Amino acid sequence: MRSVSVARTILGLRWRLTLIFVACFVILVLGLGVLFRQTLDRVLQDNASELLVEEWSSLKSYMRFEKGGLTWVYDEEDPDEVSTVQRLRGVLMVTDSAGNVVEASGEYREVGLETTAEIRRILQSGKIEEKLRRDKEGYLYLFRSGPWIADSRQTYFVSIGRILDQDEYVAEEFSRKYYGVVPPLILGLAVLCWYLAGRALRPLDDVAKAAQSITSENLNLSIPRRGVNDELDHLIDAFNNMVERLEDSFNQIRQFSIDVSHELRTPLTAIRGQLEVALFTASTPEQFREVVAGAIEDVDRLAKVVRTLLHLSQAETGQVALTKEPIDLMALAADVIDQFQIPAEIANITLDADLSPALISGDRIQIERLISNLLSNAVKYTPQRGTVRLIVRQKDHGVELVVSDTGAGIPPEHLPHIFERFYRVPDGNRNPERGLGLGLSFVAWIAKAHGAKIHVESTVGQGSTFTVSFAAEPVGETAVEQAGDRIVA
């Protein structure tokens, strides 16, 4: 367990961020070190090359070729000229065109004289060349070699050199000091990165601890924002929103359990009561038949609740497959409204329709259920001498199906909940026709499954209006005319 904990710590995000930052810094520092060293070497070599160019030019003032030999012309009593000639002759090699050595300094010989082939190559090229060479002890020299035309028009080979030990020392000293500072700098940066990474990731730890402490009893838990509106604040917002959705889901599950228990307990209690009454008081076949008939009605109600719940659950979990086809919404609405004419007349309610030709794409059975549930809800909660109106109309953005009534209306505080399972607006009159509270849940699911939007407007004492908006479908004029002809016929 301890090894697992250590491995998890090492592989943690804080460690990884620290290692990434330090690795990037190390690569940057090493790269800059190499770049600076190369730049310094180039600058030092350029300076040495400029000095050699000056010394090459100085040779013309002191070096003379006479009768095949080399003569140095200078004032032996002038200390400056003596010093200059000595410096020029310090690392020097002179040969004739055949490669025969005319003069070669001892220091040049330690580095190594040029071969005859190399001398001829340079003379034939006619160009002055510069190159780096090391002596036997490893000291670095820069040489400038090329043809030299004497006053007698005879060509000689001249090579002059300069030791770069001081330049190398400067470059090596720079590298030693530069790379000597790097390790403590990296260590300090690693500590700083570790601290900053921990501080930056602290909200993530808070989110993790909060997530671990969440139970069904404390879903109101939220993490305060940092106030900088960065990615971590967005993560905190997403986490808090997720917790809110979980709390809503748990509340819905609790309420659903309570509602289901109530809906199932009521008919079961009624059945038990009726059977107990029959057991203790019924004495004739007629009385037993009456009790059994009442029990069967309650059993039917119980079965209806179970079937409705099962169907709604299957629908919401995607187990109900929709068979979409072109639907003549005007004809379908006319068929459904005919089914409600008799119940409306019995309730002394006027059922009106204003239907225009309209085609949509959908599942005919589910669209019929949507219209039926809306009409049933409207008729159920509309008082006598009220009016229920069904409208189908074509709009620019699609097709609208509208069901309005002149019932008691829905208070504003209940409108956001009317599509929830088992939700029923409190009825002071205790309307015996109140349903299970599942009809509008079906309506909401059917609308969503067909990509439609549902909107509710309601005024207490004046009634309610449910509007279902279906998206526009490509419908030809012939199809619309045929739909109108079927209704007229």
Side-chain angles (χ1 to χ4, degrees):
M1 292 296 293
R2 185 175 180 181
S3 60
V4 173
S5 177
V6 171
R8 186 176 302 171
T9 301
I10 294 176
L11 296 177
L13 183 58
R14 186 177 184 181
W15 270 105
R16 280 181 284 170
L17 287 175
T18 302
L19 291 176
I20 290 173
F21 292 150
V22 172
C24 292
F25 177 77
V26 170
I27 294 174
L28 177 63
V29 169
L30 293 180
L32 289 176
V34 173
L35 178 62
F36 291 158
R37 175 60 188 269
Q38 291 177 347
T39 302
L40 181 59
D41 289 340
R42 186 167 56 252
V43 170
L44 293 175
Q45 184 175 338
D46 290 342
N47 291 337
S49 178
E50 291 177 1
L51 292 175
L52 278 181
V53 171
E54 294 178 1
E55 292 181 352
W56 183 275
S57 299
S58 299
L59 289 174
K60 296 179 181 180
S61 302
Y62 301 103
M63 195 166 59
R64 297 288 184 271
F65 291 93
E66 298 176 355
K67 299 180 180 181
L70 175 60
T71 303
W72 294 91
V73 180
Y74 62 96
D75 186 357
E76 296 181 356
E77 295 181 358
D78 187 344
D80 292 336
E81 289 191 6
V82 172
S83 176
T84 300
V85 171
Q86 289 177 351
R87 185 180 70 251
L88 294 175
R89 300 180 70 180
V91 185
L92 177 68
M93 177 180 178
V94 180
T95 71
D96 60 16
S97 59
N100 299 315
V101 177
V102 177
E103 182 176 334
S105 65
E107 193 169 351
Y108 203 111
R109 293 179 183 277
E110 291 181 1
V111 178
L113 298 178
E114 302 290 345
T115 63
T116 302
E118 180 68 12
I119 292 172
R120 289 176 178 175
R121 184 190 67 79
I122 295 176
L123 292 178
Q124 289 175 0
S125 68
K127 297 180 180 179
I128 297 176
E129 298 181 358
E130 288 187 356
K131 60 182 177 180
L132 294 170
R133 294 172 60 191
R134 291 186 181 274
D135 63 8
K136 297 177 180 180
E137 296 181 2
Y139 290 108
L140 184 65
Y141 286 79
L142 176 64
F143 290 95
R144 181 179 178 86
S145 307
W148 187 282
I149 301 176
D151 294 339
S152 61
R153 315 305 293 177
Q154 187 175 356
T155 301
Y156 292 87
F157 169 79
V158 177
S159 178
I160 188 171
R162 185 178 185 85
I163 189 170
L164 302 180
D165 58 339
Q166 188 63 30
D167 294 345
E168 278 198 305
Y169 172 78
V170 172
E172 292 295 335
E173 188 69 10
F174 164 79
S175 297
R176 185 180 64 81
K177 291 183 177 180
Y178 181 88
Y179 292 111
V181 174
V182 169
L185 189 61
I186 292 176
L187 181 60
L189 179 69
V191 174
L192 179 62
C193 290
W194 172 263
Y195 169 75
L196 294 178
R199 185 172 181 178
L201 295 175
R202 191 172 302 159
L204 289 179
D205 292 336
D206 295 339
V207 172
K209 292 177 182 177
Q212 292 175 352
S213 62
I214 288 178
T215 64
S216 59
E217 305 300 328
N218 64 344
L219 286 174
N220 58 348
L221 176 67
S222 64
I223 301 175
R225 300 178 87 254
R226 300 163 63 241
V228 295
N229 200 32
D230 59 359
E231 290 79 0
L232 288 177
D233 270 350
H234 296 164
L235 174 63
I236 292 172
D237 290 339
F239 178 82
N240 290 337
N241 293 335
M242 179 195 70
V243 173
E244 290 179 3
R245 293 193 298 271
L246 286 176
E247 184 178 14
D248 293 339
S249 299
F250 271 89
N251 290 337
Q252 291 178 3
I253 291 173
R254 291 193 190 99
Q255 188 62 41
F256 176 76
S257 301
I258 294 173
D259 293 336
V260 169
S261 300
H262 174 74
E263 293 297 332
L264 297 180
R265 184 174 63 249
T266 300
L268 289 175
T269 302
I271 293 172
R272 179 182 177 85
Q274 291 171 356
L275 294 178
E276 288 179 347
V277 169
L279 180 62
F280 293 108
T281 61
S283 58
T284 64
E286 290 75 11
Q287 292 176 335
F288 278 107
R289 290 192 186 93
E290 183 178 352
V291 171
V292 171
I296 291 176
E297 290 180 359
D298 288 329
V299 170
D300 289 340
R301 181 188 176 192
L302 184 62
K304 180 180 178 182
V305 172
V306 174
R307 285 197 303 271
T308 304
L309 283 175
L310 180 61
H311 192 183
L312 182 59
S313 177
Q314 291 175 340
E316 292 181 343
T317 55
Q319 300 181 37
V320 176
L322 298 180
T323 305
K324 290 190 176 183
E325 58 181 340
I327 298 175
D328 183 348
L329 189 59
M330 182 172 65
L332 181 60
D335 292 341
V336 176
I337 204 169
D338 285 343
Q339 301 173 14
F340 283 87
Q341 288 292 348
I342 295 178
E345 291 177 0
I346 295 175
N348 195 18
I349 295 173
T350 301
L351 193 58
D352 192 13
D354 181 7
L355 309 179
S356 300
L359 290 180
I360 63 172
S361 175
D363 188 300
R364 182 180 182 86
I365 295 177
Q366 300 301 335
I367 297 297
E368 182 178 356
R369 172 173 290 181
L370 180 145
I371 301 173
S372 178
N373 285 1
L374 288 176
L375 286 176
S376 174
N377 200 62
V379 171
K380 188 180 301 180
Y381 293 99
T382 300
Q384 293 185 359
R385 293 183 294 279
T387 300
V388 174
R389 185 176 181 83
L390 174 61
I391 302 174
V392 174
R393 58 195 177 196
Q394 190 83 33
K395 304 290 285 188
D396 293 338
H397 59 276
V399 176
E400 284 187 351
L401 185 145
V402 183
V403 176
S404 60
D405 61 64
T406 58
I410 304 172
E413 63 271 18
H414 296 287
L415 285 176
H417 307 287
I418 60 175
F419 294 106
E420 298 174 3
R421 293 179 179 180
F422 295 113
Y423 191 86
R424 289 173 289 194
V425 178
D427 185 2
N429 298 325
R430 299 190 181 277
N431 186 351
E433 296 296 326
R434 297 179 75 200
L436 300 175
L438 296 174
L440 291 181
S441 297
F442 266 113
V443 170
W445 171 78
I446 295 171
K448 180 179 179 181
H450 286 79
K453 297 181 179 179
I454 186 167
H455 177 68
V456 184
E457 295 179 354
S458 184
T459 303
V460 177
Q462 297 182 14
S464 304
T465 300
F466 289 77
T467 303
V468 183
S469 301
F470 295 92
E473 295 284 345
V475 179
E477 294 182 359
T478 303
V480 175
E481 292 174 357
Q482 290 177 353
D485 293 341
R486 285 197 293 271
I487 294 299
V488 172

